Amino acid sequence: MTRIEEAKRPLRGELTVPGDKSIGHRAVILGSVAEGESRVFNLSGGEDNRRTVQAFKDLGVEMREEGQSLRIQGRGWNALTDPGRVIDCGNSGTTMRLLSGVLAARPFVSVLDGDASLRQRPMRRIIEPLGKMGAEIVSRNGKGLAPLEIRGGILQGIRYTLPVASAQVKSAVLLAGLQAKGETWLEEPQKSRDHTELMARAFGARISVEGRAVLVEGGQSLKATDVHVPGDLSSAAFFIVAAVLIPGSEVVIRSVGCNPTRSGVVEILMRMGARIEFLNQRIEAGEPVADLRVFGGRLRGVDVGPEMVARSIDEYPVLSVAGALAEGVTTISGARELRYKESDRIAAMAQGLRRLGVEVEEREDGMAIHGKERLNGNRVETYGDHRVAMALAIAGLSSDGGVELDDSDCVGISFPGFFASLEKCR
Ligand code: S3P
């Protein structure tokens, strides 16, 4: 149990956040299947990224931490070997889905499993396209749930339209497509984060992107390279919201990845009236990076429509906290996908905010949140979901009497030093 006391004064200070979780997974995956030595700098120490590292160690890839970097000795796709045991993806959907794309084309059988949350998450979305490419993937009771048994082999490129925008599904198909025969073309209803496309290019892959469509040639080998992982905007979002909600605050968050396919949260907060400045904008390893200066003030409610989902899905928990403290009503719609994350984030946030005295209408694809000036203090449930836990912790800063989280260890999934960073700027 962890208690977050209300903030007695504005937040001040400078901080950094862990390396971007999404980019970290991709750096480890591509480094592992490339040829030569790659170094990954600023990999988050989070549990999810560690699962991907362990998975590739299980598959026979040699890697070791050296100072600030992870050194990976890649020997190409063909050097991956039968792990001889179940690969445990823990809580990480990205590990399970992207790894499925890699293993679909490997000539051995592998089994991927995860924790209770991951075992509930939909895997048909990858089983279907990888199956069309020729992979045989068996799920628990045929219900599209993990554990998954992947019987990999020679794949054929496909043309595929994703029913729902998803960077994990897109990346799984691209990783399989790089190893397949012929071309793979896919299109999404909305453009999801494009870290796989950007990083595969940095590893020498030929990939073309046209709007929401991506085309990749099969039979490509990758060349090792170094990757500097920028700070995770999804982790920074908790501090951005904390600062904008407490009048008089001024917080600078250094070296944050600001890829436009991820930056919806900043756009939404600015629409709500937040003052956020982008300083020292630069490109690092193909990804836009900036220092963010955030000022506290008063927000107003807005409508967050379906067009924002792909670019800000992971930030909806903390955005719902911003809505709870804004003037007027904030609505979120078209975000059914939130129900399939590490927890059902619509239900979890609606329940948490209600316990803090907020009027919330829960809808199938979102919610309407009636903002108020202060929240009540109370005990809340995190459902073991890192982003729900951190969002409710931020709510605690603006509550009368503080918020008690039933389980806060889960923040270590993406942001092990979260509570220490929070203390630093109080
Ligand atoms: C991720 C993609 C997103 C996001 C998840 C990480 C990724 O999911 O919610 O936390 O690293 O590719 P989708 O696959 O639904 O886009």
Side-chain angles (χ1 to χ4, degrees), residues 191-251:
K191 189 176 167 77
S192 65
R193 61 191 72 188
D194 61 359
H195 305 305
T196 303
E197 297 88 306
L198 294 177
M199 200 182 294
R201 278 203 193 121
F203 277 86
R206 291 176 303 281
I207 286 195
S208 38
V209 177
E210 229 181 279
R212 292 173 284 105
V214 188
L215 177 77
V216 66
E217 284 168 40
Q220 296 199 50
S221 54
L222 304 179
K223 279 182 213 56
T225 189
D226 288 351
V227 180
H228 293 259
V229 182
D232 196 330
L233 179 57
S234 298
S235 297
F238 299 105
F239 289 93
I240 298 175
V241 172
V244 299
L245 285 177
I246 302 175
S249 296
E250 185 179 335
V251 172

Side-chain angles (χ1 to χ4, degrees), residues 20-23 25-26 48 93-94 97-98 121 125 164-171 188 192-193 195-196 234 262 310 313-314 337 341-342 345 386-387:
D20 188 282
K21 180 159 84 70
S22 282
I23 297 176
H25 284 300
R26 288 152 173 87
D48 270 15
T94 312
R97 296 198 177 110
L98 270 58
R121 297 181 63 186
R125 50 182 69 192
V164 181
S166 162
Q168 295 178 351
V169 175
K170 172 175 65 176
S171 302
E188 303 186 273
S192 65
R193 61 191 72 188
H195 305 305
T196 303
S234 298
R262 293 279 295 283
I313 185 86
D314 290 345
E337 276 293 295
K341 296 295 176 184
E342 287 83 329
R345 288 180 173 162
H386 56 133
R387 299 205 198 280

Side-chain angles (χ1 to χ4, degrees), residues 340-411:
Y340 309 114
K341 296 295 176 184
E342 287 83 329
S343 71
D344 175 341
R345 288 180 173 162
I346 294 179
M349 289 311 299
Q351 195 219 36
L353 291 175
R354 279 192 198 119
R355 288 187 66 81
L356 304 181
V358 183
E359 190 188 329
V360 183
E361 291 157 45
E362 184 178 334
R363 298 172 181 161
E364 199 35 44
D365 68 340
M367 51 182 137
I369 306 155
H370 297 256
K372 52 195 301 220
E373 238 167 79
R374 296 285 296 171
L375 305 176
N376 302 340
N378 206 345
R379 181 161 192 227
V380 291
E381 286 170 56
T382 66
Y383 296 92
D385 181 328
H386 56 133
R387 299 205 198 280
V388 171
M390 290 187 274
L392 292 172
I394 297 308
L397 300 174
S398 301
S399 69
D400 291 324
V403 160
E404 212 166 78
L405 307 175
D406 66 334
D407 160 24
S408 59
D409 289 351
C410 53
V411 304

Side-chain angles (χ1 to χ4, degrees), residues 32-145:
S32 294
V33 298
E35 280 159 25
E37 181 183 278
S38 297
R39 286 177 307 168
V40 184
F41 295 90
N42 197 36
L43 187 63
S44 88
E47 172 79 16
D48 270 15
N49 279 167
R50 287 199 277 127
R51 293 287 176 178
T52 297
V53 167
Q54 187 56 48
F56 280 93
K57 284 183 176 168
D58 291 352
L59 288 160
V61 179
E62 231 181 89
M63 50 183 120
R64 67 193 148 85
E65 279 174 42
E66 206 179 271
Q68 296 301 303
S69 72
L70 177 75
R71 267 178 201 271
I72 307 175
Q73 310 297 334
R75 287 182 293 120
W77 302 100
N78 290 324
L80 300 183
T81 51
D82 180 350
R85 61 179 157 121
V86 174
I87 296 180
D88 186 356
C89 302
N91 191 245
S92 176
T94 312
T95 306
M96 183 168 283
R97 296 198 177 110
L98 270 58
L99 199 50
S100 299
V102 172
L103 295 174
R106 295 296 92 220
F108 49 80
V109 177
S110 21
V111 180
L112 306 185
D113 203 356
D115 67 8
S117 151
L118 188 51
R119 277 180 159 219
Q120 293 304 319
R121 297 181 63 186
M123 294 298 151
R124 274 215 179 95
R125 50 182 69 192
I126 52 151
I127 295 175
E128 194 193 276
L130 296 174
K132 283 187 201 292
M133 297 177 87
E136 208 184 317
I137 303 183
V138 184
S139 65
R140 176 159 50 99
N141 302 329
K143 290 199 166 137
L145 300 174

